[in-house]
Amino acid sequence: MDFLKRLGFFLVGLSIGIVFLTFFLKKKSEETGVYFCYLPNCRTLKDIRSKPMHYSDEVKLKLVEYQLDSLDVKYILTEGDVDFGNSDTKSVPCKTYIVESELKEQDWKFTVRNCRNKATIEQIDVQ
C-alpha cells in the first residue's frame, strides 16, 4: 500500500476519533457541570469561585447601590477576563486580581483578593 493511501486511512480514522471524543466529552461536561480549564484566565477564575466568597464593607454598599446580586457577581467571576498586567500575582500569602467584565450594558472592574482559604472582593468600579 502506498504512502498516500495509508495517510488517507490515518486521517479518516483520526477525524472520526476526534469527532467521537468531542461529542463524548461535551456530553459528559454538560451532565456533571464540569468543564475543562486549561488557560490561565479560566484557571484563575475557577480557583476564585471554588472558595468561600467574602465582601468588604465598601463592596457591600456598592452592591446595593448598583443593584447587583450574587448571581451577577458569579456571572462576572465566570465570564470575566483577568487583567494579569495590573494584577499583583506575586504577593504572599494572598494574590490580588483585577477581573473585568461586561454586564447590564456596563463595564465592571472587580478587585479580588485571592487567599488560600477565601476570596474577598475588595473593590468594584463601573467604567
Side-chain angles (χ1 to χ4, degrees), residues 13 22 37 46 49 53 56 74 90 94:
T22 303
C37 285
K46 186 176 181 182
R49 289 191 314 268
M53 187 64 59
S56 69
K74 184 176 179 180
K90 305 260 190 250
C94 300

Side-chain angles (χ1 to χ4, degrees), residues 3-45:
F3 175 73
L4 290 178
K5 201 171 198 180
R6 285 186 290 169
L7 181 64
F9 283 128
F10 172 76
L11 292 176
V12 168
L14 181 67
S15 62
I16 290 171
I18 289 174
V19 169
F20 175 74
L21 280 176
T22 303
F23 177 74
F24 178 73
L25 292 177
K26 183 177 180 182
K27 184 176 179 185
K28 182 178 180 180
S29 67
E30 288 174 355
E31 289 174 355
T32 60
V34 175
Y35 58 96
F36 303 101
C37 285
Y38 296 109
L39 298 176
N41 186 65
C42 185
R43 291 176 62 183
T44 301
L45 291 175

Side-chain angles (χ1 to χ4, degrees), residues 38-46 48 80-90 95-100 114:
Y38 296 109
L39 298 176
N41 186 65
C42 185
R43 291 176 62 183
T44 301
L45 291 175
K46 186 176 181 182
I48 291 171
D81 294 321
V82 179
D83 184 2
F84 288 103
N86 293 325
S87 298
D88 183 15
T89 59
K90 305 260 190 250
K95 298 176 175 146
T96 304
Y97 295 103
I98 307 296
V99 180
E100 299 173 343
N114 188 19

Side-chain angles (χ1 to χ4, degrees), residues 48-83:
I48 291 171
R49 289 191 314 268
S50 69
K51 299 173 183 171
M53 187 64 59
H54 298 276
Y55 305 101
S56 69
D57 294 333
E58 176 188 345
V59 168
K60 289 178 184 177
L61 294 174
K62 286 192 175 185
L63 287 174
V64 172
E65 178 185 340
Y66 296 136
Q67 298 177 350
L68 292 176
D69 59 4
S70 61
L71 292 176
D72 294 331
V73 172
K74 184 176 179 180
Y75 175 81
I76 289 172
L77 293 177
T78 302
E79 300 296 326
D81 294 321
V82 179
D83 184 2

